[in-house]
Amino acid sequence: MNRRLLYILISIFLLIFSPLALVAQVQEQSEQLRILVWADLDAFPGKFEETEEAEVKLEKDESKDQFHRMFDFAIERSKQVAPFLLNGMINGWKFEYTPYDKRRGVKEYWEFDEIKPFDKTMNPIEFHDPEAVEGKLLSRVYCNRTKQQQLEYKRWCSIVHPHIKGIGRGSVEKGFDGIKEACSMALKDAVREYWRTLEKNKPKEISGTVLLIRDPRIYVRNGQYVVDLDFFLETDRIIKYTQF
């Protein structure tokens, strides 16, 4: 069967039998994105030490309102996490993947990056209803798509882009880099599991782009950030092994 025809048939199957929640989510995200972002109140959860330097800084920052004095770290972390996730939902992420192959002596290679930097002037971010809960600062984050981005989103929602999902982990000690690492691993997990269902033999290389969809789910377990993410997938290139 022609590969392109096979992809279309599989995409139609996924579209018809995917949960109704996905359809509702697609409609809700077409114009305005709304996600929940959280950050630990302290850079080192469970530890807090007052220092003379901190007291001096606090005196110098008397012009700040009380909320910002109490939650500086969590606010700054939220300002890192929010545009990173929103960029994945607006502009998408790109990847290159070479699966591990013991028989051929091929080491795994994975590269993950943003397609382009997030532009806050084009897509202003609003933080709403911040609330401190169990050592974390929770905020509802709003961001509007431009008209052109809305058209691009409709293209992504077409039937030729299958829905994939994956789970990844990253070290809490790495802070924001740990969250990015977990997102990268979630994408690799999603790509790997999806192509396992389509290709009997491991390909030599896969590259493509994805658009992050639905609410990103991030939590902490056993000293690691754990993220559960959903994507639309667009495969740019597949290179197969032609000989051993």
Side-chain angles (χ1 to χ4, degrees), residues 154-189:
K154 289 181 179 179
R155 183 187 73 84
W156 273 102
C157 294
S158 67
I159 62 172
V160 295
H161 294 110
H163 168 218
I164 64 174
K165 59 188 307 180
I167 297 176
R169 293 168 174 81
S171 173
V172 168
E173 294 181 356
K174 294 181 180 179
F176 175 54
D177 286 337
I179 293 177
K180 292 199 296 184
E181 177 184 40
C183 290
S184 174
M185 293 300 98
L187 175 55
K188 183 174 77 169
D189 178 57

PDB file of all heavy atoms in Angstrom, residues 154-189:
ATOM      1  N   LYS A 154      -5.472  25.652  12.580  1.00  0.00           N
ATOM      2  CA  LYS A 154      -6.467  24.872  11.840  1.00  0.00           C
ATOM      3  C   LYS A 154      -5.777  23.878  10.902  1.00  0.00           C
ATOM      4  O   LYS A 154      -6.273  22.770  10.684  1.00  0.00           O
ATOM      5  CB  LYS A 154      -7.378  25.802  11.053  1.00  0.00           C
ATOM      6  CG  LYS A 154      -8.338  26.615  11.923  1.00  0.00           C
ATOM      7  CD  LYS A 154      -9.233  27.510  11.077  1.00  0.00           C
ATOM      8  CE  LYS A 154     -10.195  28.292  11.960  1.00  0.00           C
ATOM      9  NZ  LYS A 154     -11.069  29.199  11.158  1.00  0.00           N
ATOM     10  N   ARG A 155      -4.644  24.300  10.331  1.00  0.00           N
ATOM     11  CA  ARG A 155      -3.888  23.383   9.469  1.00  0.00           C
ATOM     12  C   ARG A 155      -3.391  22.188  10.289  1.00  0.00           C
ATOM     13  O   ARG A 155      -3.475  21.034   9.841  1.00  0.00           O
ATOM     14  CB  ARG A 155      -2.699  24.104   8.845  1.00  0.00           C
ATOM     15  CG  ARG A 155      -1.898  23.243   7.863  1.00  0.00           C
ATOM     16  CD  ARG A 155      -0.632  23.935   7.407  1.00  0.00           C
ATOM     17  NE  ARG A 155       0.369  23.954   8.458  1.00  0.00           N
ATOM     18  CZ  ARG A 155       1.200  22.942   8.706  1.00  0.00           C
ATOM     19  NH1 ARG A 155       1.133  21.815   8.008  1.00  0.00           N
ATOM     20  NH2 ARG A 155       2.088  23.034   9.666  1.00  0.00           N
ATOM     21  N   TRP A 156      -2.904  22.440  11.484  1.00  0.00           N
ATOM     22  CA  TRP A 156      -2.416  21.364  12.335  1.00  0.00           C
ATOM     23  C   TRP A 156      -3.544  20.399  12.707  1.00  0.00           C
ATOM     24  O   TRP A 156      -3.317  19.199  12.899  1.00  0.00           O
ATOM     25  CB  TRP A 156      -1.795  21.934  13.609  1.00  0.00           C
ATOM     26  CG  TRP A 156      -0.350  22.295  13.494  1.00  0.00           C
ATOM     27  CD1 TRP A 156       0.173  23.544  13.347  1.00  0.00           C
ATOM     28  CD2 TRP A 156       0.760  21.397  13.543  1.00  0.00           C
ATOM     29  NE1 TRP A 156       1.547  23.480  13.289  1.00  0.00           N
ATOM     30  CE2 TRP A 156       1.926  22.178  13.409  1.00  0.00           C
ATOM     31  CE3 TRP A 156       0.879  20.023  13.685  1.00  0.00           C
ATOM     32  CZ2 TRP A 156       3.194  21.609  13.412  1.00  0.00           C
ATOM     33  CZ3 TRP A 156       2.144  19.451  13.702  1.00  0.00           C
ATOM     34  CH2 TRP A 156       3.287  20.249  13.560  1.00  0.00           C
ATOM     35  N   CYS A 157      -4.748  20.934  12.844  1.00  0.00           N
ATOM     36  CA  CYS A 157      -5.888  20.111  13.267  1.00  0.00           C
ATOM     37  C   CYS A 157      -6.458  19.258  12.141  1.00  0.00           C
ATOM     38  O   CYS A 157      -7.434  18.528  12.349  1.00  0.00           O
ATOM     39  CB  CYS A 157      -6.999  20.994  13.838  1.00  0.00           C
ATOM     40  SG  CYS A 157      -6.539  21.832  15.366  1.00  0.00           S
ATOM     41  N   SER A 158      -5.898  19.366  10.948  1.00  0.00           N
ATOM     42  CA  SER A 158      -6.390  18.580   9.820  1.00  0.00           C
ATOM     43  C   SER A 158      -6.117  17.103  10.047  1.00  0.00           C
ATOM     44  O   SER A 158      -5.308  16.714  10.891  1.00  0.00           O
ATOM     45  CB  SER A 158      -5.723  19.044   8.522  1.00  0.00           C
ATOM     46  OG  SER A 158      -4.342  18.744   8.540  1.00  0.00           O
ATOM     47  N   ILE A 159      -6.762  16.262   9.258  1.00  0.00           N
ATOM     48  CA  ILE A 159      -6.690  14.829   9.501  1.00  0.00           C
ATOM     49  C   ILE A 159      -5.327  14.217   9.184  1.00  0.00           C
ATOM     50  O   ILE A 159      -5.066  13.076   9.553  1.00  0.00           O
ATOM     51  CB  ILE A 159      -7.774  14.098   8.695  1.00  0.00           C
ATOM     52  CG1 ILE A 159      -7.553  14.303   7.191  1.00  0.00           C
ATOM     53  CG2 ILE A 159      -9.158  14.538   9.098  1.00  0.00           C
ATOM     54  CD1 ILE A 159      -8.471  13.462   6.335  1.00  0.00           C
ATOM     55  N   VAL A 160      -4.464  14.940   8.486  1.00  0.00           N
ATOM     56  CA  VAL A 160      -3.166  14.363   8.132  1.00  0.00           C
ATOM     57  C   VAL A 160      -2.159  14.467   9.275  1.00  0.00           C
ATOM     58  O   VAL A 160      -1.022  14.028   9.135  1.00  0.00           O
ATOM     59  CB  VAL A 160      -2.581  15.044   6.872  1.00  0.00           C
ATOM     60  CG1 VAL A 160      -3.454  14.770   5.674  1.00  0.00           C
ATOM     61  CG2 VAL A 160      -2.391  16.536   7.085  1.00  0.00           C
ATOM     62  N   HIS A 161      -2.541  15.041  10.404  1.00  0.00           N
ATOM     63  CA  HIS A 161      -1.639  15.149  11.543  1.00  0.00           C
ATOM     64  C   HIS A 161      -2.156  14.279  12.689  1.00  0.00           C
ATOM     65  O   HIS A 161      -3.103  14.653  13.376  1.00  0.00           O
ATOM     66  CB  HIS A 161      -1.510  16.607  12.005  1.00  0.00           C
ATOM     67  CG  HIS A 161      -0.856  17.492  10.999  1.00  0.00           C
ATOM     68  ND1 HIS A 161      -1.523  18.468  10.304  1.00  0.00           N
ATOM     69  CD2 HIS A 161       0.420  17.528  10.554  1.00  0.00           C
ATOM     70  CE1 HIS A 161      -0.694  19.071   9.480  1.00  0.00           C
ATOM     71  NE2 HIS A 161       0.485  18.513   9.604  1.00  0.00           N
ATOM     72  N   PRO A 162      -1.544  13.118  12.887  1.00  0.00           N
ATOM     73  CA  PRO A 162      -2.011  12.217  13.945  1.00  0.00           C
ATOM     74  C   PRO A 162      -1.758  12.777  15.343  1.00  0.00           C
ATOM     75  O   PRO A 162      -0.872  13.605  15.550  1.00  0.00           O
ATOM     76  CB  PRO A 162      -1.195  10.942  13.705  1.00  0.00           C
ATOM     77  CG  PRO A 162       0.026  11.409  12.987  1.00  0.00           C
ATOM     78  CD  PRO A 162      -0.414  12.559  12.134  1.00  0.00           C
ATOM     79  N   HIS A 163      -2.533  12.298  16.293  1.00  0.00           N
ATOM     80  CA  HIS A 163      -2.409  12.673  17.702  1.00  0.00           C
ATOM     81  C   HIS A 163      -1.507  11.658  18.395  1.00  0.00           C
ATOM     82  O   HIS A 163      -1.747  10.457  18.343  1.00  0.00           O
ATOM     83  CB  HIS A 163      -3.805  12.680  18.340  1.00  0.00           C
ATOM     84  CG  HIS A 163      -3.793  12.781  19.831  1.00  0.00           C
ATOM     85  ND1 HIS A 163      -4.680  12.099  20.630  1.00  0.00           N
ATOM     86  CD2 HIS A 163      -2.996  13.489  20.661  1.00  0.00           C
ATOM     87  CE1 HIS A 163      -4.434  12.381  21.894  1.00  0.00           C
ATOM     88  NE2 HIS A 163      -3.421  13.210  21.945  1.00  0.00           N
ATOM     89  N   ILE A 164      -0.426  12.136  19.043  1.00  0.00           N
ATOM     90  CA  ILE A 164       0.481  11.254  19.780  1.00  0.00           C
ATOM     91  C   ILE A 164       0.621  11.774  21.199  1.00  0.00           C
ATOM     92  O   ILE A 164       0.328  12.940  21.486  1.00  0.00           O
ATOM     93  CB  ILE A 164       1.875  11.159  19.102  1.00  0.00           C
ATOM     94  CG1 ILE A 164       2.572  12.523  19.102  1.00  0.00           C
ATOM     95  CG2 ILE A 164       1.744  10.627  17.678  1.00  0.00           C
ATOM     96  CD1 ILE A 164       4.008  12.474  18.576  1.00  0.00           C
ATOM     97  N   LYS A 165       1.077  10.933  22.116  1.00  0.00           N
ATOM     98  CA  LYS A 165       1.256  11.354  23.504  1.00  0.00           C
ATOM     99  C   LYS A 165       2.398  10.589  24.137  1.00  0.00           C
ATOM    100  O   LYS A 165       2.701   9.459  23.743  1.00  0.00           O
ATOM    101  CB  LYS A 165      -0.034  11.147  24.293  1.00  0.00           C
ATOM    102  CG  LYS A 165      -0.541   9.731  24.328  1.00  0.00           C
ATOM    103  CD  LYS A 165      -1.925   9.643  24.971  1.00  0.00           C
ATOM    104  CE  LYS A 165      -1.976  10.303  26.330  1.00  0.00           C
ATOM    105  NZ  LYS A 165      -3.321  10.213  26.952  1.00  0.00           N
ATOM    106  N   GLY A 166       3.040  11.234  25.130  1.00  0.00           N
ATOM    107  CA  GLY A 166       4.164  10.586  25.795  1.00  0.00           C
ATOM    108  C   GLY A 166       4.395  11.138  27.186  1.00  0.00           C
ATOM    109  O   GLY A 166       3.875  12.203  27.549  1.00  0.00           O
ATOM    110  N   ILE A 167       5.191  10.421  27.968  1.00  0.00           N
ATOM    111  CA  ILE A 167       5.531  10.818  29.337  1.00  0.00           C
ATOM    112  C   ILE A 167       7.045  10.897  29.452  1.00  0.00           C
ATOM    113  O   ILE A 167       7.763  10.022  28.959  1.00  0.00           O
ATOM    114  CB  ILE A 167       4.979   9.814  30.364  1.00  0.00           C
ATOM    115  CG1 ILE A 167       3.445   9.798  30.312  1.00  0.00           C
ATOM    116  CG2 ILE A 167       5.454  10.145  31.772  1.00  0.00           C
ATOM    117  CD1 ILE A 167       2.810   8.771  31.224  1.00  0.00           C
ATOM    118  N   GLY A 168       7.538  11.972  30.091  1.00  0.00           N
ATOM    119  CA  GLY A 168       8.974  12.145  30.258  1.00  0.00           C
ATOM    120  C   GLY A 168       9.323  12.609  31.659  1.00  0.00           C
ATOM    121  O   GLY A 168       8.463  13.111  32.387  1.00  0.00           O
ATOM    122  N   ARG A 169      10.605  12.473  32.023  1.00  0.00           N
ATOM    123  CA  ARG A 169      11.064  12.831  33.357  1.00  0.00           C
ATOM    124  C   ARG A 169      12.342  13.648  33.287  1.00  0.00           C
ATOM    125  O   ARG A 169      13.144  13.490  32.371  1.00  0.00           O
ATOM    126  CB  ARG A 169      11.295  11.581  34.205  1.00  0.00           C
ATOM    127  CG  ARG A 169      10.012  10.817  34.521  1.00  0.00           C
ATOM    128  CD  ARG A 169      10.288   9.444  35.118  1.00  0.00           C
ATOM    129  NE  ARG A 169       9.045   8.795  35.529  1.00  0.00           N
ATOM    130  CZ  ARG A 169       8.220   8.161  34.701  1.00  0.00           C
ATOM    131  NH1 ARG A 169       8.516   8.094  33.412  1.00  0.00           N
ATOM    132  NH2 ARG A 169       7.113   7.605  35.153  1.00  0.00           N
ATOM    133  N   GLY A 170      12.517  14.537  34.285  1.00  0.00           N
ATOM    134  CA  GLY A 170      13.717  15.350  34.387  1.00  0.00           C
ATOM    135  C   GLY A 170      14.008  15.662  35.844  1.00  0.00           C
ATOM    136  O   GLY A 170      13.089  15.692  36.676  1.00  0.00           O
ATOM    137  N   SER A 171      15.252  15.905  36.174  1.00  0.00           N
ATOM    138  CA  SER A 171      15.657  16.116  37.560  1.00  0.00           C
ATOM    139  C   SER A 171      15.115  17.431  38.125  1.00  0.00           C
ATOM    140  O   SER A 171      15.235  18.484  37.499  1.00  0.00           O
ATOM    141  CB  SER A 171      17.187  16.118  37.665  1.00  0.00           C
ATOM    142  OG  SER A 171      17.598  16.485  38.968  1.00  0.00           O
ATOM    143  N   VAL A 172      14.540  17.370  39.331  1.00  0.00           N
ATOM    144  CA  VAL A 172      14.071  18.583  40.017  1.00  0.00           C
ATOM    145  C   VAL A 172      15.246  19.494  40.343  1.00  0.00           C
ATOM    146  O   VAL A 172      15.120  20.722  40.327  1.00  0.00           O
ATOM    147  CB  VAL A 172      13.301  18.200  41.299  1.00  0.00           C
ATOM    148  CG1 VAL A 172      13.051  19.426  42.179  1.00  0.00           C
ATOM    149  CG2 VAL A 172      11.964  17.548  40.945  1.00  0.00           C
ATOM    150  N   GLU A 173      16.409  18.912  40.617  1.00  0.00           N
ATOM    151  CA  GLU A 173      17.590  19.700  40.972  1.00  0.00           C
ATOM    152  C   GLU A 173      18.038  20.611  39.835  1.00  0.00           C
ATOM    153  O   GLU A 173      18.726  21.608  40.070  1.00  0.00           O
ATOM    154  CB  GLU A 173      18.731  18.769  41.376  1.00  0.00           C
ATOM    155  CG  GLU A 173      18.463  17.982  42.656  1.00  0.00           C
ATOM    156  CD  GLU A 173      19.629  17.095  43.034  1.00  0.00           C
ATOM    157  OE1 GLU A 173      20.608  17.042  42.237  1.00  0.00           O
ATOM    158  OE2 GLU A 173      19.579  16.471  44.104  1.00  0.00           O
ATOM    159  N   LYS A 174      17.649  20.291  38.600  1.00  0.00           N
ATOM    160  CA  LYS A 174      18.035  21.122  37.459  1.00  0.00           C
ATOM    161  C   LYS A 174      17.113  22.323  37.273  1.00  0.00           C
ATOM    162  O   LYS A 174      17.344  23.150  36.387  1.00  0.00           O
ATOM    163  CB  LYS A 174      18.030  20.288  36.176  1.00  0.00           C
ATOM    164  CG  LYS A 174      19.088  19.198  36.146  1.00  0.00           C
ATOM    165  CD  LYS A 174      19.034  18.428  34.824  1.00  0.00           C
ATOM    166  CE  LYS A 174      20.085  17.336  34.769  1.00  0.00           C
ATOM    167  NZ  LYS A 174      20.017  16.582  33.490  1.00  0.00           N
ATOM    168  N   GLY A 175      16.048  22.426  38.082  1.00  0.00           N
ATOM    169  CA  GLY A 175      15.137  23.567  37.986  1.00  0.00           C
ATOM    170  C   GLY A 175      14.396  23.593  36.659  1.00  0.00           C
ATOM    171  O   GLY A 175      13.863  22.588  36.203  1.00  0.00           O
ATOM    172  N   PHE A 176      14.388  24.771  36.027  1.00  0.00           N
ATOM    173  CA  PHE A 176      13.683  24.927  34.755  1.00  0.00           C
ATOM    174  C   PHE A 176      14.240  24.012  33.677  1.00  0.00           C
ATOM    175  O   PHE A 176      13.498  23.465  32.858  1.00  0.00           O
ATOM    176  CB  PHE A 176      13.757  26.390  34.314  1.00  0.00           C
ATOM    177  CG  PHE A 176      13.156  26.652  32.960  1.00  0.00           C
ATOM    178  CD1 PHE A 176      11.854  26.271  32.680  1.00  0.00           C
ATOM    179  CD2 PHE A 176      13.893  27.283  31.968  1.00  0.00           C
ATOM    180  CE1 PHE A 176      11.299  26.511  31.429  1.00  0.00           C
ATOM    181  CE2 PHE A 176      13.341  27.535  30.723  1.00  0.00           C
ATOM    182  CZ  PHE A 176      12.041  27.135  30.454  1.00  0.00           C
ATOM    183  N   ASP A 177      15.560  23.788  33.682  1.00  0.00           N
ATOM    184  CA  ASP A 177      16.164  22.871  32.710  1.00  0.00           C
ATOM    185  C   ASP A 177      15.638  21.449  32.908  1.00  0.00           C
ATOM    186  O   ASP A 177      15.549  20.673  31.948  1.00  0.00           O
ATOM    187  CB  ASP A 177      17.690  22.886  32.833  1.00  0.00           C
ATOM    188  CG  ASP A 177      18.300  24.151  32.258  1.00  0.00           C
ATOM    189  OD1 ASP A 177      17.644  24.789  31.407  1.00  0.00           O
ATOM    190  OD2 ASP A 177      19.427  24.506  32.659  1.00  0.00           O
ATOM    191  N   GLY A 178      15.288  21.110  34.145  1.00  0.00           N
ATOM    192  CA  GLY A 178      14.707  19.803  34.409  1.00  0.00           C
ATOM    193  C   GLY A 178      13.336  19.658  33.784  1.00  0.00           C
ATOM    194  O   GLY A 178      12.966  18.577  33.299  1.00  0.00           O
ATOM    195  N   ILE A 179      12.564  20.751  33.772  1.00  0.00           N
ATOM    196  CA  ILE A 179      11.250  20.732  33.128  1.00  0.00           C
ATOM    197  C   ILE A 179      11.408  20.587  31.617  1.00  0.00           C
ATOM    198  O   ILE A 179      10.686  19.812  30.973  1.00  0.00           O
ATOM    199  CB  ILE A 179      10.467  22.007  33.481  1.00  0.00           C
ATOM    200  CG1 ILE A 179      10.130  22.019  34.974  1.00  0.00           C
ATOM    201  CG2 ILE A 179       9.184  22.114  32.647  1.00  0.00           C
ATOM    202  CD1 ILE A 179       9.418  23.275  35.438  1.00  0.00           C
ATOM    203  N   LYS A 180      12.342  21.333  31.038  1.00  0.00           N
ATOM    204  CA  LYS A 180      12.587  21.210  29.597  1.00  0.00           C
ATOM    205  C   LYS A 180      13.064  19.801  29.232  1.00  0.00           C
ATOM    206  O   LYS A 180      12.658  19.251  28.201  1.00  0.00           O
ATOM    207  CB  LYS A 180      13.613  22.259  29.144  1.00  0.00           C
ATOM    208  CG  LYS A 180      13.113  23.686  29.217  1.00  0.00           C
ATOM    209  CD  LYS A 180      13.937  24.634  28.371  1.00  0.00           C
ATOM    210  CE  LYS A 180      15.355  24.746  28.839  1.00  0.00           C
ATOM    211  NZ  LYS A 180      16.114  25.750  28.039  1.00  0.00           N
ATOM    212  N   GLU A 181      13.915  19.237  30.076  1.00  0.00           N
ATOM    213  CA  GLU A 181      14.388  17.883  29.830  1.00  0.00           C
ATOM    214  C   GLU A 181      13.220  16.893  29.854  1.00  0.00           C
ATOM    215  O   GLU A 181      13.137  15.993  28.996  1.00  0.00           O
ATOM    216  CB  GLU A 181      15.424  17.503  30.885  1.00  0.00           C
ATOM    217  CG  GLU A 181      15.934  16.080  30.771  1.00  0.00           C
ATOM    218  CD  GLU A 181      16.890  15.721  31.893  1.00  0.00           C
ATOM    219  OE1 GLU A 181      16.644  16.114  33.052  1.00  0.00           O
ATOM    220  OE2 GLU A 181      17.880  15.020  31.610  1.00  0.00           O
ATOM    221  N   ALA A 182      12.322  17.057  30.817  1.00  0.00           N
ATOM    222  CA  ALA A 182      11.169  16.162  30.919  1.00  0.00           C
ATOM    223  C   ALA A 182      10.266  16.283  29.690  1.00  0.00           C
ATOM    224  O   ALA A 182       9.748  15.284  29.182  1.00  0.00           O
ATOM    225  CB  ALA A 182      10.383  16.466  32.191  1.00  0.00           C
ATOM    226  N   CYS A 183      10.083  17.509  29.197  1.00  0.00           N
ATOM    227  CA  CYS A 183       9.274  17.713  27.988  1.00  0.00           C
ATOM    228  C   CYS A 183       9.928  17.064  26.773  1.00  0.00           C
ATOM    229  O   CYS A 183       9.258  16.469  25.925  1.00  0.00           O
ATOM    230  CB  CYS A 183       9.065  19.205  27.739  1.00  0.00           C
ATOM    231  SG  CYS A 183       7.978  20.016  28.946  1.00  0.00           S
ATOM    232  N   SER A 184      11.248  17.190  26.689  1.00  0.00           N
ATOM    233  CA  SER A 184      11.980  16.580  25.584  1.00  0.00           C
ATOM    234  C   SER A 184      11.820  15.059  25.608  1.00  0.00           C
ATOM    235  O   SER A 184      11.573  14.426  24.573  1.00  0.00           O
ATOM    236  CB  SER A 184      13.463  16.952  25.682  1.00  0.00           C
ATOM    237  OG  SER A 184      14.233  16.272  24.708  1.00  0.00           O
ATOM    238  N   MET A 185      11.927  14.471  26.809  1.00  0.00           N
ATOM    239  CA  MET A 185      11.793  13.020  26.937  1.00  0.00           C
ATOM    240  C   MET A 185      10.359  12.562  26.650  1.00  0.00           C
ATOM    241  O   MET A 185      10.134  11.471  26.122  1.00  0.00           O
ATOM    242  CB  MET A 185      12.225  12.575  28.331  1.00  0.00           C
ATOM    243  CG  MET A 185      13.719  12.755  28.628  1.00  0.00           C
ATOM    244  SD  MET A 185      14.813  11.821  27.507  1.00  0.00           S
ATOM    245  CE  MET A 185      15.269  13.102  26.308  1.00  0.00           C
ATOM    246  N   ALA A 186       9.380  13.398  26.999  1.00  0.00           N
ATOM    247  CA  ALA A 186       7.985  13.067  26.697  1.00  0.00           C
ATOM    248  C   ALA A 186       7.750  13.035  25.191  1.00  0.00           C
ATOM    249  O   ALA A 186       7.044  12.157  24.674  1.00  0.00           O
ATOM    250  CB  ALA A 186       7.043  14.072  27.355  1.00  0.00           C
ATOM    251  N   LEU A 187       8.354  13.976  24.476  1.00  0.00           N
ATOM    252  CA  LEU A 187       8.225  13.994  23.023  1.00  0.00           C
ATOM    253  C   LEU A 187       8.908  12.787  22.400  1.00  0.00           C
ATOM    254  O   LEU A 187       8.359  12.147  21.487  1.00  0.00           O
ATOM    255  CB  LEU A 187       8.811  15.292  22.460  1.00  0.00           C
ATOM    256  CG  LEU A 187       8.848  15.406  20.932  1.00  0.00           C
ATOM    257  CD1 LEU A 187       7.459  15.182  20.325  1.00  0.00           C
ATOM    258  CD2 LEU A 187       9.399  16.767  20.511  1.00  0.00           C
ATOM    259  N   LYS A 188      10.099  12.444  22.887  1.00  0.00           N
ATOM    260  CA  LYS A 188      10.795  11.270  22.350  1.00  0.00           C
ATOM    261  C   LYS A 188       9.974  10.005  22.585  1.00  0.00           C
ATOM    262  O   LYS A 188       9.846   9.150  21.689  1.00  0.00           O
ATOM    263  CB  LYS A 188      12.179  11.117  22.993  1.00  0.00           C
ATOM    264  CG  LYS A 188      12.963   9.947  22.410  1.00  0.00           C
ATOM    265  CD  LYS A 188      14.381   9.885  22.945  1.00  0.00           C
ATOM    266  CE  LYS A 188      14.416   9.324  24.336  1.00  0.00           C
ATOM    267  NZ  LYS A 188      15.808   9.021  24.776  1.00  0.00           N
ATOM    268  N   ASP A 189       9.395   9.893  23.768  1.00  0.00           N
ATOM    269  CA  ASP A 189       8.552   8.743  24.086  1.00  0.00           C
ATOM    270  C   ASP A 189       7.356   8.676  23.141  1.00  0.00           C
ATOM    271  O   ASP A 189       6.997   7.594  22.648  1.00  0.00           O
ATOM    272  CB  ASP A 189       8.079   8.847  25.534  1.00  0.00           C
ATOM    273  CG  ASP A 189       7.156   7.714  25.935  1.00  0.00           C
ATOM    274  OD1 ASP A 189       7.557   6.550  25.816  1.00  0.00           O
ATOM    275  OD2 ASP A 189       6.021   8.013  26.370  1.00  0.00           O
TER     276      ASP A 189
END
